[in-house]
Amino acid sequence: MDKSYKKPLLLITFGVILFAAFNNLNYVANFLKSCIGLLAPILSGLLLAFVLSVPVRGLAKRLRRKLTKAIDRQIDMISLLLTLICVIAIIALLCVIAIPQLTASVKSIAALVQEKWPDWVGLLQRYGIDTEKLSAHFAALDWKSILQSISSEMNTVISSVANVAGSTVSAIADVAISLVITFYVLIGWRELSSQSKRALYAYCKESVADRICHISKLAHDTYAKFLSGQCVEVMILGTLIFLSFSVAGIPYAGLTAVLTAAFAFVPYIGGFLSCAFGILFTLLAAPNKALLCLIVYQATQFVENQFIYPHVVGNSVGLSPFWTLLAVLLGGKLFGVLGMIFFIPLMALVSQLLHESIERRLHTRKPELSNVQSNSDENTDISQ
């Protein structure tokens, strides 16, 4: 076929397919749902492999220095085994220690609210605030049922997830397929990478293949830095909050530390939320220590951010606060909590690709502007 007719024919075909799809949106939606259902185990397995590849490759690099005579396959197997042991240990600690402690803390907070309620009502009345409707609503609450509900919910989080996942044969099969795919990808990632590159260069232009390989490597490096950095941040910050609160005698040190560690995955916003919860818990148990709680929390955050985080973690994604907040808000609006976490490295990736595109265009059209920008980048990054 003549090349002059090929492109118009492809455009016409694409237009016809698009018109047919818009006229049959219900069928298209059902078809897409079926495809997603079929591909869900594969996609979940690849996503889990991508997340676990960060600690697996990190351990593999360190094992390579120690086991110089071992082959790559053996090192990958050992690093995967060590990663799985760590994951299982973390889950076991959550089930045995963290969840019962959180349950006890929530119960004590509920009991404390019941005990302090008359004092709070008297304080509000002294300031001329009508508390009749609020008191009636509070008296109507069935605290025994609420506490039992909270206890049962928090004690059965893991078992409920397991029951839902294993409720049907199909779900068990999907989980098994996902795990098998995860293991095969993590063990044979070197061969998969080589095969993917061979296929890419065989079916694409060299420039296109080079660009895809560059974007893939940049995406993996960005997410790896973010995930590893945030995991270290979680452990350090949670430990510091627990120790500082315990030394200062601030109540609910363990609960505040757990919430701080959980919210640490969402930069900036998470810090404000965990601080607010810590102050709220302190107001309930010991109102005279609320100001001390704020001071200790902010001092701990300042020490961790200024002296520990830059040396241990570093600037994991290189985004300014504005772009980080934008990524958190956009990701949370679209995909909830997971969107908040994963949109930060995605925004960093887009920012880096945009920076490279601008540099290429400036270098082609206005080399003098490219030189000026390159010099200024030594002091400030374009993404900031």
Side-chain angles (χ1 to χ4, degrees), residues 252-272:
Y252 298 107
L255 181 59
T256 306
V258 171
L259 290 177
T260 301
F263 288 144
F265 280 102
V266 184
Y268 304 109
I269 296 178
F272 288 114

Side-chain angles (χ1 to χ4, degrees), residues 256-322:
T256 306
V258 171
L259 290 177
T260 301
F263 288 144
F265 280 102
V266 184
Y268 304 109
I269 296 178
F272 288 114
L273 289 176
S274 54
C275 181
F277 276 112
I279 295 173
L280 176 62
F281 298 151
T282 306
L283 282 172
L284 292 175
N288 58 323
K289 293 185 177 181
L291 182 59
L292 178 62
C293 172
L294 176 62
I295 295 173
V296 170
Y297 191 97
Q298 293 301 324
T300 305
Q301 281 272 16
F302 177 80
V303 171
E304 200 274 341
N305 290 333
Q306 298 298 323
F307 301 104
I308 299 176
Y309 186 85
H311 299 286
V312 177
V313 181
N315 194 4
S316 58
V317 293
L319 277 182
S320 67
F322 171 76

Side-chain angles (χ1 to χ4, degrees), residues 321-333:
F322 171 76
W323 292 109
T324 302
L325 288 174
L326 182 62
V328 169
L329 295 175
L330 184 61
K333 191 70 174 179

Side-chain angles (χ1 to χ4, degrees), residues 207-287:
S207 59
V208 176
D210 289 339
R211 187 64 178 162
I212 294 175
C213 290
H214 172 68
I215 294 175
S216 300
K217 184 178 184 305
L218 187 61
H220 181 271
D221 292 344
T222 303
Y223 274 90
K225 289 178 182 178
F226 175 76
L227 291 175
S228 58
Q230 290 306 114
C231 288
V232 175
E233 166 80 350
V234 162
M235 291 187 290
I236 293 176
L237 188 57
T239 303
L240 287 177
I241 291 294
F242 177 76
L243 293 176
S244 59
F245 272 44
S246 299
V247 170
I250 300 173
Y252 298 107
L255 181 59
T256 306
V258 171
L259 290 177
T260 301
F263 288 144
F265 280 102
V266 184
Y268 304 109
I269 296 178
F272 288 114
L273 289 176
S274 54
C275 181
F277 276 112
I279 295 173
L280 176 62
F281 298 151
T282 306
L283 282 172
L284 292 175

